[in-house]
Amino acid sequence: MVRRVSIFGATGSIGQNTIDLIARDAEAYEIIALTGGANVDQLAADALRLRAQVAVTAFEDRLDDLRALLSGSGVEAAAGEAALLEAAERPADWIMSAIVGAAGLAPGLAALRHGTTLALANKESLVTAGPLLMATARDHGAQVLPVDSEHSAVFQALVGEDIAAVERIIITASGGAFRDWPLEALEHATLAEASSHPNWDMGQRITIDSASMFNKSLELIETKEYFVVTPDQIEVVVHPESLIHAMVGFTDGAIMAHVGPPDMRHAIGYALHWPVRRALPVHRLDLAQIGTFSFRAPDEDRWPALRLARAVMAEGGLAGAAFNAAKERSLDGFIAGEIKFTEMAAVVEDVLTQLSGDPGLSSAEITLDTVRQMDHLARQRAAEAIAARQ
Ligand code: NAD
Ligand code: MG
């Protein structure tokens, strides 16, 4: 049976890896929607090649160019937030959620309300609105499948297991670009240095977030929200080889580890073919040649983001939305040269300190509106904190 598939964030790193898998077996899929941002050349080329129903750019000022590229092809062109939602509501069997940042939440919720299976790379959806996302899935009988490599690994280690027998979930971290830098050098880390990952080839924002460990801090919250475990059951261990993606420790003392090459097409392919396993075009590991798997404890002086994530999990409510928005704004600030690498965590901590204790943070109901309001407020506070440092 032909499966109807949409890819949100199709022009990005996850989106392109998803297209790579789908294009290998194009006859098996009908492409409903592909979405992207400013890169309409890539979006149009993929939409034409895969004969998508509609191509959507997030940016309205890119619509004319997208239209011109698709003219006469029969592929519809659309732009803007409303068009993204409309595309998410088109009947489909499987949607890849691979927009980067908080912008990925609304289309994912719209897809779930239509019962569509959501392959979730956009971890920000769980960080900002985990309870809302999972409840929407439950209420509409829709499945959320994790695509983040650590969470896909845990999901796979849990097949046939009872969550009540889980004692701990251990997610691994490569340590990113600055794992072995002297601490005092971090302050002077450049954008180019932070944008290069030792093991994974990913989008720029998540690569910088890997160097600061904000990525791992988002993943701690993602683990709590998706698997419904308590924060003290989740551990982070630095594993420089990036070959073990996560481990699950059970009440009998056994640990199940998921091992594989650092290639996102594994986790994407697992979610694409779930609940069955199919052959995937990823490199096979030669363990004797690899020789060693090494581990070390994460250093919270080097990576204060991990400590902040623990505080956010303890606070609950909209703290995740505030944390993510402050993180996104401070990342923008680092990319724009407004603040230093090490100031990103300081800005996020400033914002959390200002907002914590506010009942609007910890006990507000989590809806798309309250998440958006908190997102807006935290970005504003982060901008002020950045301005105060200049
Ligand atoms: P990327 O920057 O390469 O691509 C992001 C995509 O989102 C692009 O298609 C871009 O056009 C689109 N986009 C950007 N801003 C948008 C907006 N405001 N509205 C709508 N669309 C917008 O990012 P990526 O590395 O592919 O990551 C995508 C998501 O997957 C992120 O949430 C990331 O944390 C997660 N993830 C990525 C990897 C990886 O290997 N790249 C691994 C695990 C999880
Ligand atoms: Mg990950």
Side-chain angles (χ1 to χ4, degrees):
M1 207 177 71
V2 173
R3 291 178 73 203
R4 296 163 305 172
V5 163
S6 291
I7 305 172
F8 282 70
T11 56
S13 164
I14 293 286
Q16 291 291 298
N17 276 308
T18 308
I19 288 176
D20 174 85
L21 291 179
I22 282 174
R24 288 165 192 264
D25 192 13
E27 297 306 306
Y29 302 97
E30 179 189 349
I31 306 302
I32 306 299
L34 296 182
T35 87
N39 185 357
V40 291
D41 290 317
Q42 181 72 56
L43 180 62
D46 288 326
L48 292 171
R49 179 164 67 109
L50 298 173
R51 293 193 294 269
Q53 220 177 61
V54 61
V56 186
T57 163
F59 307 122
E60 285 176 20
D61 60 355
R62 303 298 288 130
L63 181 58
D64 287 346
D65 287 344
L66 181 62
R67 268 207 188 112
L69 289 161
L70 295 175
S71 124
S73 68
V75 180
E76 296 166 51
E81 250 180 77
L84 284 173
L85 286 182
E86 191 275 330
E89 287 177 338
R90 294 191 185 203
D93 300 303
W94 188 90
I95 284 188
M96 168 53 76
S97 164
I99 288 175
V100 62
L105 174 62
L109 286 172
L112 290 174
R113 279 197 298 271
H114 287 264
T116 309
T117 296
L118 191 69
L120 191 70
N122 180 262
K123 61 192 81 184
E124 296 88 345
S125 293
L126 282 168
V127 173
T128 58
L132 172 64
L133 193 89
M134 299 311 282
T136 305
R138 267 194 311 278
D139 292 349
H140 294 86
Q143 184 75 38
V144 179
L145 298 170
V147 173
D148 215 343
S149 57
E150 298 76 4
H151 306 76
S152 173
V154 172
F155 187 71
Q156 293 178 50
L158 286 174
V159 171
E161 304 286 354
D162 180 354
I163 191 81
V166 172
E167 205 165 62
R168 52 209 277 241
I169 292 178
I170 306 160
I171 58 175
T172 58
S174 68
F178 306 138
R179 179 182 63 216
D180 300 315
W181 277 35
L183 270 188
E184 56 282 4
L186 286 183
E187 195 185 355
H188 305 292
T190 65
L191 178 59
E193 287 162 341
S195 303
S196 128
H197 197 284
N199 304 334
W200 293 91
D201 180 13
M202 311 186 283
Q204 187 191 33
R205 298 182 73 86
I206 183 175
T207 301
I208 302 170
D209 282 350
S210 296
S212 62
M213 284 265 189
F214 268 114
N215 181 49
K216 211 51 56 182
S217 68
L218 298 178
E219 291 181 358
L220 276 169
I221 304 169
E222 186 185 8
T223 304
K224 170 179 172 279
E225 298 298 340
Y226 187 84
F227 297 105
V228 199
V229 289
T230 57
D232 62 358
Q233 286 180 289
I234 315 169
E235 299 166 32
V236 173
V237 69
V238 176
H239 167 52
E241 294 86 3
S242 291
L243 296 172
I244 297 180
H245 303 301
M247 294 171 262
V248 179
F250 294 93
T251 45
D252 61 356
I255 292 178
M256 301 292 278
H258 183 285
V259 187
D263 182 337
M264 284 309 294
R265 292 177 306 173
H266 171 76
I268 296 167
Y270 188 80
L272 181 61
H273 301 306
W274 180 87
V276 294
R277 266 186 205 279
R278 295 247 173 92
L280 291 172
V282 301
H283 168 70
R284 271 42 175 183
L285 296 179
D286 178 340
L287 293 175
Q289 198 194 6
I290 292 162
T292 313
F293 287 158
S294 60
F295 304 101
R296 51 176 116 146
D299 169 357
E300 292 199 352
D301 290 332
R302 183 177 298 273
W303 296 300
L306 295 174
R307 173 173 53 76
L308 298 179
R310 298 264 172 210
V312 168
M313 289 192 287
E315 183 113 33
L318 293 170
F323 179 59
N324 179 68
K327 190 282 294 178
E328 288 193 26
R329 180 61 187 85
S330 57
L331 177 57
D332 292 339
F334 174 64
I335 292 173
E338 295 169 341
I339 48 172
K340 293 179 189 162
F341 179 79
T342 43
E343 285 180 305
M344 287 191 287
V347 165
V348 173
E349 186 157 20
D350 276 0
V351 174
L352 289 175
T353 308
Q354 283 176 40
L355 296 176
S356 88
D358 182 336
L361 192 69
S362 52
S363 44
E365 197 193 344
I366 301 180
T367 67
L368 193 51
D369 279 346
T370 59
V371 167
R372 282 196 165 137
Q373 283 157 14
M374 183 51 71
D375 182 281
H376 185 73
L377 176 66
R379 273 175 214 264
Q380 212 173 350
R381 293 289 169 86
E384 288 160 14
I386 288 169
R389 284 169 185 276
Q390 285 175 316

